[in-house]
Amino acid sequence: MRRRVVRHAPVTVTVAVVLAVLTAGASAPPTQPQAPDPPVKEPVAAGHGGAVASVDADASAVGIEVLRRGGNAVDAAVATAAALGVTEPYSAGIGGGGYFVYYDAKQRRVHTVDGRETAPRSADATLFQENGKPIPFEEGVTSGLSVGTPGTPATWDTALAAWGSRPLAQLLKPAERLARNGFVVDETFRSQTRANEARFRDFPASAELFLPGGRLPEPGSVMKNPDLARTYAEIGRKGTGVLYRGAVARDIVDTVRAPKVREGATRVVRPGDLTRRDLASYETVRRYPTRVSYRGLDVYGMAPSSSGGTSVGEALNILEGTDLSGLSESKYLHRFIEASRIAFADRGRWVGDPAFEDVPVRGLLSQRYADTRACLIRDDAVLTSPLAPGDPRAPRPCASGDRAAPTTYEGENTTHLTVADKWGNVVAYTLTIESTGGSGITVPGRGFLLNNELTDFSFAPADPAVHDPNLPGPGKRPRSSMSPTIVLDDRARPVLALGSPGGATIITTALQTLTGVVDRGMPLADAIAAPRASQRNQPTTELEPGLWNSPLRAELQALGHAFRQNPEIGAATGVQRLPDGRWLAAAEKVRRGGGSAMVVRPSGAP
């Protein structure tokens, strides 16, 4: 697979055009500032001129304003992502990384950028071990050990240099203003803060920022982040090189190597070994996307270091031989669950950072290999997890290769945005700081949380007898499940683009949403809202309440399935090209407080 490495270089912008996107709130006493009126949050919209879907109305409005003022989909995606760093700071930001998938309407080609975080050069397979044993997972999360070199700012540089039409400084202005003036706190933000309260209190910079006055922020109050506003302004003036080789880089390294913990805290907070050399040498990678043909459509995704493209693609190939449209709901779910189980068994054995592992991408995505795995699925029985992987290098019908190994844990937060413009360009962009709240460590004076992305590595092999391609290594990218996906028709025109947060559940969310639209004939908004199941080569399949409380659960249990309940799986967004040429944007109706779908010029019913 061709790898185009993009070295990060500083960008200095001499002309900055300020986008008048957000309205500043009225002055009020500092303890309870008056809330500005937030944009209206709607989960679905249709019209012309382009579309944006994200989890947050402020961020979607920023992207729409960029499109309205002549920017393209890449410009809007970067501006939206910067705004999400303000309003979704526990899920994304310049302290993290992600994957950027772009459809170029002029070339009718899909391109991707791997902006995944990297481990320090000093890391080895024992990064999360002490005395030969893995440290507790939570101690790994809340530590300097978990912090990888951020890739998000370099991703913005790479995407804008290749396909953008606006300078980064201009695109950061709306987010800078949003951070300075503040956004309205909702119940989701408060609940996420509450879940992190104990961690945040142990880090003075995090407590000062996210627990104003020492208290949880109240819904309806305004959350401001002047430090982040200043950081965005500095990046705008000096380019993102300041984060990789300048003053911000110095502050990141100092924070990772000596986290500032409050006096009297009893939490074990291990330092990390990230260096300024690690940041200065960071590179994004332009990779070929993954591609499979499904029902006459071409489905493009993110190649390794993400496992999203290979796993979604393999599962689709496994399902290709079954007419899912004609099945009952329970039989459809059975097939979907089993295909997911098989894809995760293969993912665990074969997928890791291709700079360190020989990942058989072509074999994993071949229809021939999928057919040898699909024959494991029976209509009257359920496969047992952990299921052993197959061997895509030498496929044999219904045969397994190595011993089975259980799926290792992966955190369940991230954010996703989807954008289309009036020229037909499309972006599916998933970005993250890993767990909700990342490492819990805020860079003092800079206003952003550091990622805990390195905990996506295996702390130790799940089975010492089975090769694990996802152990830590020097400069290695941890395996991801992020699955930004773009679907084209037989004339290489966009049909659909989508993605979701949710850790390893991202893969099953993307797969279930895709098959819901393509096979089950569901409108995109309904496919996103449908109750979800997630099987990841584990003994039990997770079900959201809508399926847990459904008669379908009993039907599937009678077949042999075992379940556990998950209150919420993912938070997808997507855009779709309608037959009449309009764009439809869709987001969650309920999950994570509901998402925000907007179009430049609304027209007609969605």
Side-chain angles (χ1 to χ4, degrees):
M1 175 176 295
R2 184 181 71 178
R3 300 171 71 248
R4 179 182 173 191
V5 173
V6 182
R7 286 193 63 84
H8 173 72
V11 177
T12 302
V13 178
T14 58
V15 179
V17 180
V18 178
L19 298 179
V21 179
L22 303 171
T23 302
S27 60
T31 55
Q32 186 63 42
Q34 181 178 338
D37 292 332
V40 176
K41 182 182 268 192
E42 297 288 350
V44 61
H48 299 278
V52 178
S54 80
V55 74
D56 179 74
D58 285 309
S60 293
V62 164
I64 286 293
E65 189 65 19
V66 171
L67 295 176
R68 183 174 288 122
R69 291 173 177 259
N72 65 23
V74 173
D75 304 325
V78 169
T80 303
L84 287 170
V86 179
T87 61
E88 280 273 292
Y90 307 149
S91 301
I94 54 176
Y99 299 98
F100 194 100
V101 178
Y102 168 65
Y103 170 77
D104 185 317
K106 187 174 181 179
Q107 295 182 350
R108 295 196 180 187
R109 288 184 56 195
V110 176
H111 306 267
T112 74
V113 179
D114 182 334
R116 184 68 158 158
E117 300 89 339
T118 53
R121 290 170 179 264
S122 62
D124 61 20
T126 65
L127 177 65
F128 290 106
Q129 296 179 24
E130 288 182 357
N131 301 318
K133 295 182 179 180
I135 64 175
F137 184 79
E138 288 306 320
E139 290 186 14
V141 170
T142 310
S143 73
L145 279 179
S146 70
V147 181
T149 298
T152 290
T155 299
W156 296 348
D157 266 358
T158 300
L160 290 172
W163 313 295
S165 69
R166 299 289 188 270
L168 179 60
Q170 176 180 326
L171 299 172
L172 289 178
K173 282 294 182 182
E176 179 190 335
R177 188 176 298 109
L178 184 60
R180 183 181 301 112
N181 295 338
F183 65 93
V184 179
V185 171
D186 61 12
E187 185 54 49
T188 298
F189 188 88
R190 178 181 166 83
S191 67
Q192 290 178 340
T193 308
R194 184 189 299 113
N196 279 285
E197 183 176 2
R199 290 204 303 159
F200 288 168
R201 289 194 185 281
D202 282 346
F203 300 100
S206 297
E208 181 182 1
L209 177 57
F210 299 117
L211 299 168
R215 298 183 297 275
L216 289 170
E218 292 292 338
S221 65
V222 177
M223 175 65 69
K224 297 183 179 182
N225 191 339
D227 286 346
L228 183 57
R230 285 189 291 270
T231 301
Y232 277 164
E234 186 172 356
I235 293 172
R237 291 192 308 272
K238 300 177 181 179
T240 58
V242 72
L243 194 141
Y244 291 98
R245 284 177 293 280
V248 181
R250 179 198 63 219
D251 292 345
I252 290 172
V253 169
D254 289 349
T255 303
V256 170
R257 299 179 70 87
K260 292 180 173 58
V261 183
R262 71 172 173 85
E263 186 177 351
T266 58
R267 184 184 304 275
V268 176
V269 181
R270 293 170 173 81
D273 198 32
L274 199 69
T275 67
R276 295 183 70 174
R277 183 185 176 198
D278 290 318
L279 269 70
S281 61
Y282 181 81
E283 299 169 342
T284 60
V285 183
R286 293 270 302 275
R287 302 188 189 276
Y288 280 124
T290 61
R291 184 183 69 85
V292 297
S293 177
Y294 186 70
R295 316 295 191 208
L297 302 170
D298 287 324
V299 181
Y300 290 85
M302 192 66 222
S305 58
S306 179
S307 65
T310 55
S311 299
V312 171
E314 181 183 353
L316 289 172
N317 283 341
I318 289 170
L319 295 169
E320 177 78 27
T322 302
D323 181 8
L324 299 181
S325 66
L327 298 181
S328 68
E329 189 70 14
S330 62
K331 289 181 178 178
Y332 156 70
L333 286 170
H334 169 65
R335 286 273 169 174
F336 158 72
I337 288 169
E338 297 294 71
S340 300
R341 190 192 312 271
I342 294 168
F344 268 90
D346 292 338
R347 163 196 187 262
R349 168 61 183 85
W350 298 108
V351 182
D353 183 346
F356 291 77
E357 300 288 333
D358 184 12
V359 185
V361 173
R362 181 171 296 182
L364 288 168
L365 293 175
S366 73
Q367 189 62 54
R368 175 172 173 247
Y369 178 63
D371 291 343
T372 69
R373 301 293 276 159
C375 66
L376 294 170
I377 301 176
R378 294 172 49 186
D379 289 332
D380 59 350
V382 173
L383 293 167
T384 300
S385 286
L387 180 72
D391 189 343
R393 303 166 304 179
R396 292 182 296 130
C398 302
S400 294
D402 295 334
R403 288 172 48 177
T407 299
T408 53
Y409 178 77
E410 186 175 336
E412 294 191 357
N413 217 309
T414 295
T415 195
H416 179 84
L417 63 95
T418 322
V419 181
D421 65 28
K422 64 183 178 182
W423 297 283
N425 304 303
V426 177
V427 172
Y429 183 21
T430 312
L431 59 160
T432 184
I433 58 171
E434 223 301 26
S435 298
T436 305
S439 64
I441 304 170
T442 297
V443 181
R446 296 297 182 179
F448 63 90
L449 286 158
L450 292 170
N451 69 81
N452 66 293
E453 214 63 62
L454 302 189
T455 60
D456 272 354
F457 284 123
S458 303
F459 282 27
D463 183 338
V466 179
H467 175 72
D468 189 333
N470 191 42
L471 292 171
K476 189 174 182 180
R477 287 165 155 83
R479 182 175 61 207
S480 170
S481 296
M482 288 183 269
S483 305
T485 303
I486 295 178
V487 181
L488 306 183
D489 65 16
D490 58 1
R491 296 174 60 186
R493 298 174 305 184
V495 174
L496 176 69
L498 57 83
S500 177
T505 69
I506 294 172
I507 291 168
T508 55
T509 295
L511 180 63
Q512 189 173 354
T513 306
L514 281 169
T515 55
V517 173
V518 175
D519 292 293
R520 307 296 282 179
M522 301 173 71
L524 177 59
D526 292 348
I528 287 174
R532 294 184 182 131
S534 183
Q535 167 53 240
R536 306 185 298 281
N537 197 24
Q538 296 176 330
T540 55
T541 297
E542 293 181 3
L543 296 182
E544 287 188 322
L547 288 174
W548 180 267
N549 298 321
S550 162
L552 290 168
R553 176 163 67 101
E555 293 181 42
L556 291 165
Q557 285 174 323
L559 196 58
H561 289 279
F563 299 108
R564 67 185 187 276
Q565 190 170 185
N566 185 334
E568 188 175 276
I569 298 174
T573 73
V575 298
Q576 185 175 25
R577 189 78 183 213
L578 298 176
D580 60 8
R582 293 181 301 155
W583 285 109
L584 181 140
E588 296 289 353
K589 297 179 180 179
V590 175
R591 296 181 185 95
R592 245 155 106 166
S596 171
M598 296 183 182
V599 292
V600 174
R601 297 192 307 277
S603 61

